Amino acid sequence: MEVQILTLCDNAQEYNGKLVLVGAFNQINAPSYPTKIPEMSIVAHLSFAEEDNGEHTITFGLTNEATGMEIIKTEPYKPNIDIQSKNHTANVNLVVKAPNFIVPNEGRYILYVDVDGHRIQSTVYAGVIKPKQQQ
């Protein structure tokens, strides 16, 4: 199994087996915290090989690195991989919508996907930006 994409984005959907991503990001800038993100999706594209045939357990999460507080944790998704195609792989696209998502404070967050207890992670930064002074 290989994680080919793991990201946050403004919006995403699957269309005819393809992922459509709009506004991928790994940094959240706001004038203050907590802050609300009106539209957000967590997206993963996983590729499975023949040796990965069978049922798998997949979850997503977003954790505050400093406190360990879980901000998002999805219910387990359990695809059954049954590869019998000529290309010897199967792809799984996962999109989790999180509308009106609240980021409680600035800091570093760990975006992760767990597949059968194997964690793949990426860092998301949430920082304060000061509004530009009007001249």
Side-chain angles (χ1 to χ4, degrees):
M1 184 280 307
E2 181 180 328
V3 176
Q4 295 182 338
I5 298 172
L6 175 60
T7 193
L8 298 176
C9 62
D10 293 332
N11 196 358
Q13 66 183 32
E14 184 178 26
Y15 178 74
N16 288 337
K18 298 176 185 176
L19 274 175
V20 178
L21 303 174
V22 177
F25 62 91
N26 71 343
Q27 187 161 336
I28 300 163
N29 295 320
S32 64
Y33 288 87
T35 192
K36 180 169 71 169
I37 301 175
E39 274 191 82
M40 186 179 84
S41 296
I42 302 171
V43 179
H45 175 81
L46 311 174
S47 182
F48 293 89
E50 284 180 302
E51 60 268 16
D52 299 318
N53 275 343
E55 187 176 88
H56 298 275
T57 301
I58 302 169
T59 56
F60 281 118
L62 187 63
T63 304
N64 182 299
E65 184 179 60
T67 66
M69 186 170 91
E70 197 86 47
I71 308 301
I72 293 176
K73 182 162 177 123
T74 63
E75 292 295 318
Y77 172 64
K78 297 190 175 197
N80 188 19
I81 304 301
D82 184 18
I83 299 172
Q84 297 179 4
S85 67
K86 290 180 182 177
N87 65 1
H88 307 288
T89 62
N91 295 312
V92 174
N93 294 321
L94 300 167
V95 176
V96 176
K97 303 277 187 176
N100 296 312
F101 178 71
I102 302 294
V103 180
N105 49 26
E106 65 179 311
R108 287 172 30 136
Y109 291 83
I110 303 300
L111 173 64
Y112 68 85
V113 59
D114 280 339
V115 181
D116 301 328
H118 178 70
R119 179 163 287 188
I120 304 296
Q121 64 186 40
S122 151
T123 304
V124 176
Y125 299 93
V128 173
I129 57 166
K130 297 189 190 267
K132 291 184 179 179
Q133 298 289 331
Q134 296 292 330
Q135 295 185 25

